Amino acid sequence: MDPKQKQLLIAVGAVCGLIVLALAYFLFSAIGENADAKAARDRYARNLRSSNLAEPYPSRANRDVRLADAANAEKEIAAAKALLAKGNDVIALPADQTSSPSKFTEAIGQGIGALAQRQETPAAQRLRAAGSQAQQTAMSYSFERYVQGDLPKEADIARLARQFATIRHVCDTLLDSGAVLITDVQRTRFDAAPEAEEEQPTTRRRRASRRAEPVAQAADAYGLLPAPVAKLLAEDGVDRESYAVTFRAPYSAVAKTLNALAEDPLFVVVTDLSVSSAGLVEAKVDDLVKKRRTTRNSALTRARSAENAERAEELAKRGLFEGVAIDQRLVTDPETAEPLQVTLRFDVYTAPAPAEPAPAPAKEGN
């Protein structure tokens, strides 16, 4: 065979071999894709069969449980709103006091005058005289604008009336529980002063008191409540107002105040309570120790003068307060102790009264 023919034959054979390999590759690829498609088809078919044979979700039992939970939740929400609505009678002013801005301003003056009259006691006068210049001035109970003669807006009267009635009710509760003097009251400010007044320079004390005021909250804020719960409360008409009251009271009156607020028909939630002592306990302790030491030394001197060695030795070994009655070991006397400085911060929740069911239609006669 001619060498050229042999080379041509080898080249043709190589090309044919490559073509066969390529065809085999495409054949196996097609078989693999077909197998994957079949596997996917079988998987989808199994899922479809299992879905068709599975129980519907939620099942009938789950649906009944969810309906029962929803019914119970509605009952609990209705009961909670009814509980919050009990306080509406406590903080409702008569209609004639809220019929106009001037009438409401007059009602504020009368209420503040009644609270001031309750605090004209000798103990309150002593505290007022010994306190700062701020305590000696007349209290406005966070309504200074209207005490000074400004008239509220018609749209603000309803909320201002609830706030004023709440402050007066809580202050009366404090005084009934034994508080001596109310020194400061703050509320949620929503009735902003005119821009001209806001631009005027204010004193450092007024700016400090503004910082201490409760911050006005949005309708869906509700303090530390989760946002979904707060939104539901806002949609259900539940309102929250924040207040802060500073007062002077004996330590026993603080516990009485908390108990009274817990039993009050107005839904009051105490958010903070800070107590500071206004007296020097250390000086009273020193006076008590000196008095007891003088008493024991006098008894020891009398025993030695009477040549009663046994009695003198017993007194010398006895502790300073050993054998002393309990009422003589008190550092402070509850009746004469200096009143504490107390700041009470609280939120008040209210809700509209539940609607009365509509009367059943009268049955027609036969």
Side-chain angles (χ1 to χ4, degrees), residues 188-206:
T188 303
R189 298 274 183 169
F190 70 97
D191 48 334
E195 294 182 0
E197 295 182 6
E198 292 180 351
E199 293 175 356
Q200 294 179 358
T202 55
T203 62
R204 180 178 300 178
R205 178 182 174 274
R206 180 173 292 274

Side-chain angles (χ1 to χ4, degrees), residues 316-331:
K317 292 181 179 179
R318 182 179 294 183
L320 190 61
F321 288 92
E322 186 178 349
V324 179
I326 295 177
D327 58 347
Q328 297 179 7
R329 302 178 198 171
L330 292 176
V331 175

Side-chain angles (χ1 to χ4, degrees), residues 118 121 123 127 170-182 247-257 260 339-340:
R118 292 198 61 184
T121 61
L127 289 176
V170 172
C171 290
D172 282 333
T173 302
L174 293 175
L175 296 173
D176 292 341
S177 301
V180 179
L181 180 65
I182 298 172
F247 58 97
R248 301 288 299 275
Y251 65 88
S252 59
V254 178
K256 291 181 181 179
T257 298
L340 302 173

Side-chain angles (χ1 to χ4, degrees), residues 110-121 124 128 138-139 141 175 181:
Q110 294 175 355
I112 291 177
L115 288 174
Q117 185 66 29
R118 292 198 61 184
Q119 298 175 71
E120 289 298 329
T121 61
R128 200 177 287 115
M139 277 280 295
Y141 296 87
L175 296 173
L181 180 65

Side-chain angles (χ1 to χ4, degrees), residues 361-366:
K363 294 183 179 180
E364 297 182 359
N366 293 330

Side-chain angles (χ1 to χ4, degrees), residues 86 112 146 151 156 179 186 232 358:
K86 289 182 178 180
I112 291 177
Y146 312 114
L151 294 179
D156 295 341
Q186 300 296 338
L232 288 176

